[in-house]
Amino acid sequence: MASVLSYESLVHAVAGAVGSVTAMTVFFPLDTARLRLQVDEKRKSKTTHTVLLEIIKEEGLLAPYRGWFPVISSLCCSNFVYFYTFNSLKAVWVKGQHSSTGKDLVVGFVADAFHQIIRDEGILALWNGTFPSLLLVFNPAIQFMFYEGLKRQLLKKRTKLSSLDVFIIGAIAKAIATTVTYPMQTVQSILRFGRHRLNPENRTLGSLRNVLYLLHQRVKRFGIMGLYKGLEAKLLQTVLTAALMFLVYEKLTAATFTVMGLKSAQKP
């Protein structure tokens, strides 16, 4: 119980929330471009920079930051929960031993499943059959698995990671996770903006059958590459955001532990 309610977990949670908010604020226009590429089928521009220029020209200079506050508010809360849960579960499971890639994946999956269901469907949904809500939690789980794994490998050769090391391994981890889960993110964006026709056999929005139906319709209409429409913008945004987030997170955590005269409870 002490590991779950520890000061170290709170430091990780605050640092993770601050890092994610900072990174998302810097690269938010890229996410705006990605959403337009995914759901606006009439837009002729196919590259990130041209879409951003069109948005600014048509809607004004601040248009790329439209919807920023709700996204940042949700991201701050959800990442606080994620980092707190991830590090608490890791502390309980590892218990002073060395972590492993498999453990990082499981802990990351459980942590994100917990906060994603609460964020999207409410606390009572934890007791429902909410398998569709779990489909996208593999993204941060895969991201943390690769990030922690690469971090451990580098720490075998040196005692401390540089800012560039953290930035690069954060970027690599997010690039892999984003590419693997992008088709589901495309469907999520279509559902979010209502640019879809529901499966006539199952009109429950977001159900597993309906998600599979939308994936099939997307491939049927645009081919397999239709599932990856906007991937360039998504990779550019998420890779840079994740890299900056991990950099701020690691530096803020290390600085806090140093100032308070503490050491991180988890071994690499």
Side-chain angles (χ1 to χ4, degrees):
M1 189 67 181
S3 298
V4 175
L5 301 176
S6 68
Y7 177 76
E8 285 80 2
S9 294
L10 180 61
V11 171
H12 283 290
V14 172
V18 172
S20 61
V21 168
T22 301
M24 178 56 82
T25 299
V26 173
F27 298 113
F28 190 80
L30 296 177
D31 194 50
T32 301
R34 185 266 307 178
L35 285 172
R36 298 295 179 92
L37 284 168
Q38 279 185 324
V39 303
D40 192 348
E41 298 175 359
K42 297 180 180 179
R43 189 172 291 276
K44 296 180 179 180
S45 299
K46 302 297 182 182
T47 60
T48 304
H49 70 279
T50 54
V51 170
L52 278 176
L53 289 175
E54 286 180 358
I55 293 173
I56 293 173
K57 184 179 179 180
E58 296 169 4
E59 304 173 35
L61 188 62
L62 296 179
Y65 277 95
R66 185 171 296 145
W68 169 85
F69 185 74
V71 171
I72 290 299
S73 301
S74 174
L75 185 67
C76 182
C77 295
S78 63
N79 271 14
F80 180 91
V81 173
Y82 182 85
F83 277 88
Y84 192 97
T85 306
F86 179 86
N87 285 282
S88 295
L89 291 175
K90 187 175 178 181
V92 170
W93 194 0
V94 174
K95 292 182 179 179
Q97 302 174 4
H98 288 283
S99 185
S100 66
T101 301
K103 288 182 178 180
D104 290 333
L105 179 61
V106 174
V107 171
F109 181 86
V110 173
D112 199 66
F114 182 78
H115 93 73
Q116 181 128 345
I117 293 176
I118 291 178
R119 183 188 66 187
D120 294 344
E121 302 186 35
I123 188 70
L124 294 179
L126 288 171
W127 284 270
N128 294 335
T130 55
F131 179 75
S133 298
L134 302 179
L135 293 174
L136 280 173
V137 306
F138 279 106
N139 185 296
I142 294 171
Q143 173 187 343
F144 262 80
M145 178 186 73
F146 279 97
Y147 177 79
E148 292 290 336
L150 290 170
K151 182 178 172 182
R152 278 194 296 273
Q153 292 301 315
L154 288 177
L155 286 174
K156 289 179 180 179
K157 302 175 182 178
R158 63 195 76 176
T159 57
K160 185 179 180 181
L161 296 181
S162 67
S163 298
L164 182 60
D165 291 331
V166 174
F167 192 89
I168 291 175
I169 62 176
I172 293 173
K174 191 61 178 181
I176 295 172
T178 298
T179 303
V180 171
T181 61
Y182 192 75
M184 286 307 306
Q185 294 181 49
T186 298
V187 171
Q188 185 187 50
S189 295
I190 294 172
L191 287 169
R192 177 182 172 186
F193 286 91
R195 305 292 180 87
H196 63 280
R197 293 180 180 178
L198 291 175
N199 184 350
E201 298 180 0
N202 187 353
R203 300 187 66 83
T204 303
L205 187 65
S207 69
L208 177 59
R209 184 177 296 180
N210 211 43
V211 167
L212 294 176
Y213 174 81
L214 289 174
L215 282 171
H216 174 72
Q217 291 299 309
R218 187 78 172 181
V219 173
K220 185 177 179 180
R221 185 174 181 182
F222 299 105
I224 192 67
M225 294 309 296
L227 297 176
Y228 290 91
K229 188 178 180 181
L231 179 60
E232 174 205 354
K234 182 65 176 178
L235 278 175
L236 189 60
Q237 181 258 325
T238 56
V239 167
L240 292 175
T241 300
L244 182 57
M245 180 200 72
F246 277 120
L247 178 59
V248 174
Y249 162 70
E250 292 285 357
K251 296 302 179 183
L252 186 56
T253 301
T256 303
F257 284 138
T258 300
V259 170
M260 301 304 295
L262 297 173
K263 293 183 179 180
S264 179
Q266 287 92 34
K267 292 183 180 180

